[in-house]
Amino acid sequence: MSVQLRARTIVLTLCSALLATAVAALPARAEGTARAAWEVKGPHGSPTAVVALDRTDGHPTLAVRREGRTVLEPSPLGLVTEQTDFSRGLTLTGRSERTVTEHYTSPTGKSRDRVARMTEARFRFRTADGARLDLVTRVARDGVAYRYVLPRNHGNVLREASAFTLPTGANALLGGYRADNELRFTRYDSAAAAPAGAYMMQGLFRTGGGSGAAGDGDYALIAESDVNGTYAGAHLTHTADSSTYGLSLWNDEPVLTTGPLTTPWRTIVAGDLATVTESTFVDDLAPASRVRDTSWIKPGPALWTWLAGGKEAGQSLAAQEKYVDYAAERGWPYEVVDAGWYYKTGEWEVIDPQWQTDSWMPELVRHAAAKGVGIHVWLHYSLLTDPVEREKWLSTLARWGVKGVKIDFMDSESQERMRWYDDVLESTARHHLMVNFHGSTIPKGIQRTWPQVMSMEGVGGEEKRNNTAEQLASLPFTRNVIGSMDFTPGAFHRPYRPNVASDAGELGLSVLYESGIQNLSGTPESYDARPEARRYLEQLPARWEETRLLTGDPGRSAVLARRAADGRWFIGGTFTGAARTVDVPLRLGAGRWLVETLTDGPSGLVRETHVVRGGGTLALPVVADGGFAALACHAREGRTTCEN
């Protein structure tokens, strides 16, 4: 090496070291003598993230504040690998910051056109022996997120130290954890007093602020984003009498690594209740779409035949053709054929998908296509585990003209199963097959990266018998915040639904719950017996342009409005408790609005028309544990209906 080159290298090294020291030291502020802290601020109105490092043992923490109030107390950070403990003994060697602005569209979800603006700060930590961990934080108008980056391999990840410490007095809405994410949510007046155990990674906490009125104050929804086969799914864990909720990986199994590692985002969706409910933050954090041509991805309502006819209907071409005809009459673009279709008649032997003569499905697809209806079919995930068999099934379905697959019974969030999701999503995209996952994980940003995912279960939907009115009023603020949810509303014939006395409430669920393929689960007879409900369901649009929370109290009530491309607003509401008159603020915009409401009357659904000014209040009767549905459009001279 020449003298000049050696001198230049020394100068650059010194400059880099000085710059790193300056970046690390200048923004810091003392938190007493115990720790140094660095603030990360996002766009105007955003919460503030505070990353801190203990001066005595070098453990990092993260806190979240909103308008001077505490949303998250200083909470542990870090992870532990086979070779290195990155949860303590750290020093900060550098910090950098940048602005992230991304524009994208989504065929599913709460809104179509999206703009994500975030401040990203990267904190570079080192251990005493020189091992490096980067903490990447992002702050947006609707939340704070962080993830870890290991620039080189330090062995398998044993656990994360990540945890969330709530302020004293916070309450909680939590669902117990199970592999299929289908357990009910329970409201706890004290987050600290919730029973010890495991909870789903979609816990909602009211952390304070406001007047204490329903839906008022500061909220935080703990979630995760960008989980793929390099990692495993996570859930919350809680010990008795603690305000801290830890994070555990699937079955506490090590995450296998072979090189550098970037973990999923740990996400705190934060703001008032409307901000949290309307948030797309979990999607915003996920990688951009891996599907270039999305012209074949077309959401829309479907007639789902499982609750209407069961497995017997799934083995009958004649029955399925009648369902297709009914969907075509209603203007619904899809019909979903559930379990039973690929078994040999009278047997439980699976047909070979390349033997078209063994299946009546091609004939059904042709019949449906002539009626303008697309067919989605159910598959057990085990048929798609072997790459050769997976290609056989998916290529055959695509050749037949099937539009989508409903894949069921994964029942795991292990690293191995997340790798399976990666493979199946690549394959279904290549074959232009839309996807609905059941017995599954929850979306976690997957619908941005793979927009052919129309919906996911991860919820105890209409076919389950353990739902309650409280559960119906919990889902808009928890599970459905994260992504499309296949609850399958519309089963008026089911005696087990918690709003069995409220056809209006059942109808409202078709809007209150968002799903890229809204699987309507009633029988044709049940719809024909309720012509007003049928008329409303016939008008459901393929997708939503915008979503607004009109009013709500998690676990007790929820009213959401969703705007269609033609400018009309569809509104759905659900309430727990005794029959009463409820006041619904019409937060749709200025001017006069024509609102058609559907409520429960003594002889069935009652349709009424109201004219309300934007910002005004609509008073509606609801029965016990009931709800309503509505349709709003701009009022103009001579207009008497919002129907197109």
Side-chain angles (χ1 to χ4, degrees), residues 71-356:
V71 174
L72 198 68
E73 297 280 5
S75 302
L77 297 172
L79 49 77
V80 178
T81 72
E82 290 175 324
Q83 300 173 9
T84 308
D85 184 349
F86 288 104
S87 67
R88 62 184 64 251
L90 303 181
T91 57
L92 183 68
T93 63
R95 175 191 175 195
S96 59
E97 194 169 287
R98 69 183 183 117
T99 300
V100 176
T101 303
E102 296 176 345
H103 300 251
Y104 68 100
T105 60
S106 175
T108 60
K110 289 173 263 189
S111 59
R112 176 176 175 81
D113 298 309
R114 305 184 185 181
V115 179
R117 295 188 177 91
M118 299 171 275
T119 299
E120 179 182 285
R122 180 180 290 259
F123 296 85
R124 298 174 182 86
F125 294 106
R126 287 190 184 276
T127 64
D129 59 3
R132 177 176 154 188
L133 169 78
D134 288 0
L135 172 73
V136 181
T137 64
R138 285 190 176 179
V139 178
R141 181 192 63 84
D142 50 350
V144 171
Y146 66 87
R147 73 192 322 175
Y148 308 111
V149 178
L150 294 176
R152 68 178 185 85
N153 187 25
H154 291 275
N156 298 331
V157 174
L158 301 181
R159 63 179 178 86
E160 286 192 28
S162 312
F164 309 90
T165 301
L166 285 306
T168 301
N171 67 24
L173 187 62
L174 302 168
Y177 181 69
R178 196 172 67 186
D180 58 8
N181 292 284
E182 293 184 10
L183 295 180
R184 290 204 308 256
F185 286 86
T186 300
R187 180 165 164 156
Y188 300 99
D189 290 336
S190 168
Y199 295 96
M200 289 184 282
M201 196 71 173
Q202 45 183 325
L204 180 71
F205 302 90
R206 186 184 182 280
T207 59
S211 63
D216 195 11
D218 299 318
Y219 286 81
L221 178 69
I222 309 300
E224 62 181 343
S225 180
D226 190 17
V227 184
N228 55 45
T230 65
Y231 216 72
H235 59 269
L236 299 174
T237 57
H238 183 240
T239 56
D241 300 319
S242 172
S243 294
T244 296
Y245 284 75
L247 184 146
S248 291
L249 302 176
W250 172 260
N251 280 354
D252 293 323
E253 295 172 356
V255 171
L256 307 181
T257 62
T258 57
L261 175 69
T262 299
T263 72
W265 292 102
R266 306 304 171 210
T267 306
I268 305 101
V269 185
D272 59 22
L273 189 59
T275 298
V276 171
T277 308
E278 299 165 12
S279 172
T280 60
F281 190 43
V282 172
D283 282 346
D284 296 345
L285 291 163
S289 173
R290 292 186 57 182
V291 182
R292 290 191 175 185
D293 173 21
T294 59
S295 60
W296 54 277
I297 301 173
K298 297 177 180 179
L303 177 61
W304 178 47
T305 64
W306 180 254
L307 290 191
K311 191 174 296 182
E312 292 74 16
Q315 292 185 294
S316 169
L317 172 61
Q320 292 300 324
E321 287 181 333
K322 289 180 180 179
Y323 289 128
V324 164
D325 294 347
Y326 193 81
E329 292 168 4
R330 308 280 75 78
W332 298 330
Y334 298 113
E335 191 245 13
V336 179
V337 184
D338 218 280
W341 72 270
Y342 57 68
Y343 295 107
K344 292 184 178 180
T345 303
E347 304 175 21
W348 291 110
E349 182 183 349
V350 178
I351 66 169
D352 186 313
Q354 290 187 324
W355 297 345
Q356 289 194 27

Side-chain angles (χ1 to χ4, degrees), residues 395-593:
S395 63
T396 300
L397 293 175
R399 186 174 68 253
W400 288 350
V402 168
K403 300 299 182 182
V405 287
K406 175 181 175 180
I407 309 173
D408 206 346
F409 291 116
M410 286 71 70
D411 290 337
S412 171
E413 295 182 314
S414 67
Q415 185 179 14
E416 178 185 12
R417 196 56 44 82
M418 300 314 294
R419 283 197 293 264
W420 175 90
Y421 278 104
D422 293 343
D423 294 338
V424 165
L425 288 165
E426 187 279 328
S427 297
T428 52
R430 179 161 38 83
H431 289 294
H432 288 193
L433 290 167
M434 292 177 279
V435 181
N436 175 7
F437 287 118
H438 267 232
S440 65
T441 184
I442 51 180
K444 304 180 182 183
I446 198 172
Q447 289 180 277
R448 180 182 180 188
T449 308
W450 298 102
Q452 80 270 24
V453 178
M454 293 290 94
S455 191
M456 304 180 79
E457 192 178 27
V459 66
E462 197 81 284
E463 64 179 311
K464 305 302 186 293
R465 301 186 181 189
N466 64 343
N467 277 314
T468 63
E470 290 76 15
Q471 176 77 345
L472 299 184
S474 298
L475 295 173
F477 307 108
T478 50
R479 169 63 183 84
N480 218 185
V481 173
I482 296 168
S484 293
M485 177 181 76
D486 195 22
F487 186 86
T488 68
F492 295 104
H493 65 296
R494 291 281 282 182
Y496 310 107
R497 56 187 176 94
N499 57 2
V500 67
S502 178
D503 284 348
E506 183 67 31
L507 184 61
L509 296 184
S510 66
V511 175
L512 189 65
Y513 298 156
E514 184 277 323
S515 179
I517 178 168
Q518 189 66 283
N519 279 286
L520 302 171
S521 57
T523 63
E525 294 77 14
S526 69
Y527 295 135
D528 290 343
R530 298 164 177 82
E532 289 292 353
R534 185 184 64 194
R535 172 180 171 274
Y536 189 86
L537 294 173
E538 288 172 347
Q539 299 181 74
L540 288 178
R543 60 147 298 103
W544 305 113
E545 303 297 317
E546 184 181 359
T547 294
R548 292 184 187 176
L549 174 67
L550 300 186
T551 187
D553 185 7
R556 294 174 180 169
S557 64
V559 181
L560 268 70
R562 302 188 192 271
R563 180 170 60 85
D566 60 13
R568 296 184 298 167
W569 288 88
F570 289 73
I571 305 171
T574 191
F575 298 83
T576 63
R580 61 195 185 276
T581 298
V582 297
D583 293 328
V584 178
L586 209 64
R587 195 169 63 90
L588 304 180
R592 296 168 66 248
W593 292 88

